Amino acid sequence: MKSVLSNDKIYRALFNQEYLIKEALKRFFENNTFSLTGIDERRANQKLLLAAHDHTTSSNAFHENWTHVDSQRRSAACFREQARSRIWALGTVFPDLVDGATGGLFVTFADSSDQRKVGRLHKFNPIRYRRRIIKILKALAVESPGARALGVVEVSASTTDGGVVFEPHAHVLVFGANGISTRDKFSDLLRGRATGRPLKIQSIDSVEVLGRRLSYCFKFAPELRSTFLRDGARSPGYDNLMSGPVLAEWYRWLAAYRASDLLIHMGQRPQFIAEMNSREMQPLIDSLLRSSLMMPSRDVQQGSS
């Protein structure tokens, strides 16, 4: 599929650096990729899916080409915005976090009370949800001055014997805070009946782990987890991707918010969000190519796995 933007300035710059961008992203996580043709094809399929399920979105929700990606922000459902956000995080945020790489925590928080049935995902507001998480982080900062955090609000789906439910959750990188206190405060935030693993905290003990965790936060993947009942309790099954009406609903929900609306942050440098929303693609790419060299080479990573 040939892009209609072969003469576009930003497109041509991206085309000339496509391989370098992809290889830089893969140093952070093997499954990362970057393909201009792939983005075009995914957007075409996305439009067909939304139309097939009668989901309307704002005309300003998507970039249909790269022309205005430097100057205008679109929704988090836009694949060009997703690629830009990932490049921004790994290129400009990652170097700022490296000094605190060892001793950091990776928190996954999922409260069952936030689950939404199919057809009701539009009722979940990630901005209100984000405020709950930030309140906990600020309490940690009172105990540990200088604590920092960066994370995202996500929605995955889970299929069980009772059907499909959407599962809002958060992934947060926390630096400079006590691990026990972090667990206690996030545990206090749980409002629903604990099912599965509502709170998971993993240590960050190297730059490589930091890079992988940060990349994971910006995957924008429509994950579908299958679980099954065993002795009355939910047990893990396998991971897949959403499809059909479930994926269409997820796209419609994501199209109502910008990537910055999903971002959880505390203790970051001034103008953090302004920079995320305004920095141009070429400087972002330059930063990514430099920062990727801070990660072990792919050969080293594969040899140690």
Side-chain angles (χ1 to χ4, degrees):
M1 179 178 177
K2 184 178 179 181
S3 173
V4 297
L5 284 177
S6 58
N7 62 343
D8 176 77
K9 178 182 176 182
I10 298 176
Y11 175 87
R12 283 188 282 112
L14 291 169
F15 180 82
N16 291 334
Q17 300 170 95
E18 185 172 10
Y19 176 79
L20 295 176
I21 295 169
K22 181 175 69 175
E23 289 301 300
L25 291 171
K26 283 185 175 295
R27 288 187 75 142
F28 288 93
F29 185 61
E30 177 64 28
N31 290 343
N32 282 341
T33 190
F34 182 79
S35 167
L36 296 171
T37 299
I39 288 172
D40 287 343
E41 291 175 346
R42 291 181 68 200
R43 173 56 183 147
N45 292 334
Q46 184 185 54
K47 285 194 286 187
L48 290 173
L49 181 66
L50 288 167
H53 294 281
D54 297 323
H55 287 319
T56 58
T57 57
S58 167
S59 59
N60 292 323
F62 301 93
H63 289 291
E64 299 300 345
N65 53 54
W66 295 92
T67 303
H68 300 296
V69 77
D70 276 352
S71 59
Q72 299 177 14
R73 300 279 57 83
R74 299 294 190 241
S75 79
C78 172
F79 299 125
R80 291 174 175 84
E81 285 288 337
Q82 292 178 10
R84 181 186 177 279
S85 296
R86 188 176 302 112
I87 291 170
W88 166 77
L90 299 179
T92 68
V93 180
F94 173 70
D96 288 346
L97 301 178
V98 165
D99 286 344
T102 56
L105 303 170
F106 183 63
V107 180
T108 299
F109 174 84
D111 191 334
S112 60
S113 70
D114 295 310
Q115 292 178 355
R116 297 293 187 274
K117 295 179 179 179
V118 170
R120 305 289 291 176
L121 183 56
H122 65 283
K123 294 292 186 179
F124 173 70
N125 186 318
I127 298 174
R128 286 200 295 266
Y129 182 90
R130 182 182 68 183
R131 292 190 190 116
R132 287 168 54 197
I133 305 295
I134 291 175
K135 184 177 180 180
I136 290 297
L137 296 173
K138 288 183 176 179
L140 284 172
V142 171
E143 293 182 1
S144 303
R148 295 186 296 162
L150 177 70
V152 294
V153 179
E154 281 190 350
V155 173
S156 59
S158 179
T159 178
T160 67
D161 295 340
V164 177
V165 293
F166 289 106
E167 298 184 323
H169 59 279
H171 297 295
V172 190
L173 295 155
V174 180
F175 304 93
N178 178 272
I180 295 175
S181 183
T182 300
R183 181 175 294 278
D184 289 345
K185 283 185 165 46
F186 272 94
S187 295
D188 291 342
L189 191 60
L190 290 168
R191 300 184 302 191
R193 181 173 58 88
T195 59
R197 297 185 66 179
L199 180 61
K200 183 178 180 181
I201 300 179
Q202 299 166 284
S203 62
I204 300 171
D205 55 10
S206 68
V207 171
E208 179 182 350
V209 172
L210 170 64
R212 290 175 64 86
R213 298 302 187 199
L214 181 60
S215 178
Y216 188 83
C217 287
F218 287 84
K219 61 186 184 297
F220 298 102
E223 294 174 324
L224 175 67
R225 294 182 174 87
S226 296
T227 60
F228 55 90
L229 289 176
R230 174 183 290 172
D231 299 328
R234 284 178 60 179
S235 299
Y238 56 88
D239 291 350
N240 209 329
L241 296 177
M242 301 176 203
S243 61
V246 175
L247 179 58
E249 184 176 353
W250 186 79
Y251 280 145
R252 184 183 66 170
W253 170 79
L254 205 56
Y257 301 97
R258 292 183 177 181
S260 58
D261 293 330
L262 309 180
L263 198 65
I264 299 165
H265 62 97
M266 181 193 71
Q268 304 300 326
R269 62 180 178 272
Q271 305 302 313
F272 183 71
I273 294 297
E275 179 184 285
M276 178 187 185
N277 287 330
S278 64
R279 201 165 181 199
E280 296 180 351
M281 279 298 296
Q282 189 57 60
L284 289 178
I285 293 166
D286 293 341
S287 295
L288 172 68
L289 299 182
R290 288 193 300 269
S291 72
S292 68
L293 299 179
M294 303 171 75
M295 289 287 288
S297 70
R298 293 172 62 193
D299 289 340
V300 170
Q301 293 183 45
Q302 290 166 359
S304 62
S305 60

